[in-house]
C-alpha cells in the first residue's frame, strides 16, 4: 500500500502523460502562439509530470532537494492555468472583433462616462470595440507578462522556505503570499473580462462559443483552487498545509479542479477551428471601408467595387444591356452614392 502523497503522484504520472500526448496534437494544429493558450496548458502538464516525479523520489529517497523541488513545482500550477484561460479568452475577443461592438446599446452611458477624467480613461480602455489591437486584448497581453512576477516570487519564496535560516523562511513566506495575491488580482481581471464577453455570448460565432463556454466553466473551478491556496498560505489549518495537509482535501480542492480544466481545454483544442490571427486582422482592416467619404463622379471607383456604369464585353457604357439609352442622371446619382458594404 502506497502512502497517500505517493499515490497521488503516481496517479498524476499515469494521467498527465496521456494528456500531454493529446496536447501535442493540439499544438500541432493550433501552433505555439501565446494567443492559442494551449502552450501554457502544455507547460502546466509538464510541470505536473516533473513535480510528481520529484514527489515520488522524495518519498522513496527523502532529501531536502527532492522535497524542495516537489514543493516548488506544486506551487506553480495556478499560473499556467490562469494564463491559458486568459489566452483562450483573448482568442474569443479577437475572433469576434469584426462581429460585435462591446459598447453597443449603451449610448446614454457612452456619452457621459468618457467625459469623466479618470473614469473615462478606464471606460475607453475596457468598453472600446474589441479588436485584435483593442485595450481588452492588450490588457490580457499585459497579464501574461505580469504573471511572470508571481511565478518568480513563488520559486524564490519556496526555495527560501526550505532554508534552515529563520530570516530566509520569513522572507520566503512573504514572497509566496505576495505572489499569490498577484495571482488573485490577475484572476479577478480575467473574471471581469470573461463576464464582459459572456454578455455578448449570443453574438459570438459558433466555434468561439465553445471556447468561451469552457472558460466560463473553468472560472469557478479556478476559484476553488484559489480558495485552497488562500487557506494553505494565509491560515494555520493543518488540513490545508502544503506539506502535511490532508490528501483528501488537496485532491478535492486542487488536483481534481486542475485535471478537469486541463481535460476540458484539451478537448476544446481538438474540436475548435485553428486560430487564425492573420484572417482576423484582415477582416478588421476592411471595416473602415464603410466609413469612406463619397467619391466624386470623375474619380475611379474604389476597389474592390466595380464601376457602377460598367457594362459586359460587347455593350457600350452609353446603353443599358437591353439596348435602351442610359439615364445619365441615374448614373450620376448612383456614382455619388457611398459604397455599400
Amino acid at each position: 500500500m502506497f502512502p497517500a502523497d505517493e499515490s497521488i503522484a503516481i496517479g498524476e504520472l499515469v494521467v498527465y502523460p496521456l494528456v500531454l500526448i493529446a496536447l501535442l496534437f493540439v499544438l500541432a494544429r493550433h501552433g505555439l502562439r501565446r494567443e492559442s493558450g494551449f502552450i501554457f496548458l502544455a507547460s502546466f502538464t509538464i510541470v505536473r509530470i516533473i513535480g510528481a516525479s520529484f514527489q515520488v523520489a522524495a518519498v522513496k529517497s527523502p532529501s531536502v532537494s527532492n522535497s524542495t523541488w516537489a514543493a516548488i513545482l506544486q506551487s506553480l500550477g495556478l499560473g499556467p492555468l490562469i494564463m491559458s484561460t486568459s489566452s483562450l479568452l483573448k482568442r474569443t475577443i479577437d475572433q469576434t472583433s469584426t462581429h460585435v461592438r462591446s459598447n453597443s446599446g449603451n449610448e446614454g452611458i457612452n456619452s457621459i462616462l468618457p467625459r469623466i477624467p479618470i473614469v473615462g480613461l478606464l471606460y475607453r480602455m475596457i468598453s472600446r470595440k474589441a479588436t485584435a489591437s483593442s485595450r481588452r486584448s492588450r490588457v490580457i497581453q499585459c497579464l501574461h507578462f505580469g504573471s511572470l512576477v508571481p511565478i518568480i516570487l513563488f520559486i524564490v519564496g519556496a526555495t527560501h522556505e526550505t532554508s534552515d535560516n529563520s530570516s530566509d523562511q520569513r522572507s520566503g513566506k512573504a514572497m509566496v503570499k505576495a505572489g499569490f495575491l498577484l495571482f488573485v488580482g490577475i484572476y479577478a481581471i480575467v473574471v471581469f473580462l470573461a463576464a464582459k464577453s459572456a454578455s455578448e455570448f449570443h453574438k459570438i460565432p459558433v466555434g468561439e462559443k465553445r471556447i468561451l463556454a469552457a472558460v466560463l466553466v473553468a472560472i469557478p473551478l479556478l476559484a476553488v483552487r484559489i480558495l485552497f491556496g488562500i487557506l494553505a498560505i494565509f491560515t494555520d489549518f493543518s488540513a490545508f498545509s502544503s506539506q502535511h495537509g490532508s490528501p483528501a482535501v488537496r485532491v478535492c480542492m486542487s488536483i481534481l479542479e486542475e485535471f478537469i480544466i486541463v481535460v476540458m481545454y484539451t478537448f476544446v483544442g481538438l474540436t475548435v477551428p485553428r486560430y487564425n490571427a492573420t484572417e482576423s486582422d484582415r477582416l478588421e482592416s476592411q471595416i473602415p471601408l464603410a466609413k469612406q467619404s463619397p467619391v466624386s463622379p470623375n474619380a475611379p471607383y474604389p476597389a474592390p467595387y466595380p464601376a457602377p456604369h460598367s457594362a459586359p464585353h460587347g455593350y457600350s457604357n452609353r446603353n443599358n444591356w437591353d439596348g435602351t439609352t442610359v439615364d445619365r442622371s441615374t448614373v450620376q446619382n448612383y456614382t455619388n452614392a457611398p459604397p455599400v458594404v
Side-chain angles (χ1 to χ4, degrees), residues 321-334:
W321 293 5
D322 57 0
T324 59
T325 303
V326 176
D327 185 354
R328 304 307 297 175
S329 62
T330 302
V331 174
Q332 180 72 14
N333 292 334
Y334 181 64

Side-chain angles (χ1 to χ4, degrees), residues 2 7 14 32 56 70-71 82 96 129 131 179 194 215 219 234 276 283 316 335:
F2 296 108
S7 300
V14 172
L32 301 178
V56 173
I82 293 179
T96 59
K129 187 166 80 83
T131 67
V215 170
I219 283 178
F234 295 93
N276 192 344
L283 292 174
S316 171
T335 304

Side-chain angles (χ1 to χ4, degrees), residues 217-286:
V217 172
I219 283 178
L221 296 175
L222 285 173
V224 176
R225 174 63 178 85
I226 290 176
L227 177 61
F228 173 80
I230 291 175
L231 295 175
I233 296 175
F234 295 93
T235 67
D236 296 327
F237 296 133
S238 59
F240 299 96
S241 174
S242 58
Q243 296 181 350
H244 308 289
S246 171
V249 172
R250 186 157 68 93
V251 169
C252 295
M253 296 188 65
S254 175
I255 296 176
L256 187 60
E257 283 74 14
E258 293 174 352
F259 179 72
I260 293 175
I261 294 173
V262 171
V263 172
M264 181 173 56
Y265 284 172
T266 303
F267 176 77
V268 169
L270 292 171
T271 57
V272 298
R274 181 178 179 181
Y275 177 78
N276 192 344
T278 303
E279 178 67 11
S280 178
D281 294 341
R282 184 189 68 80
L283 292 174
E284 180 64 24
S285 65
Q286 293 181 356

Side-chain angles (χ1 to χ4, degrees), residues 186-209:
I186 293 172
Y187 171 78
I189 297 175
V190 172
V191 171
F192 175 78
L193 297 177
K196 182 66 177 178
S197 297
S199 65
E200 301 164 345
F201 189 85
H202 63 287
K203 299 180 181 180
I204 297 176
V206 176
E208 305 305 317
K209 284 183 178 179

Side-chain angles (χ1 to χ4, degrees), residues 112-124:
I112 299 175
L113 292 183
R115 301 177 182 178
I116 304 176
I118 299 178
V119 177
L121 176 61
L122 297 175
Y123 178 79
R124 287 190 294 271

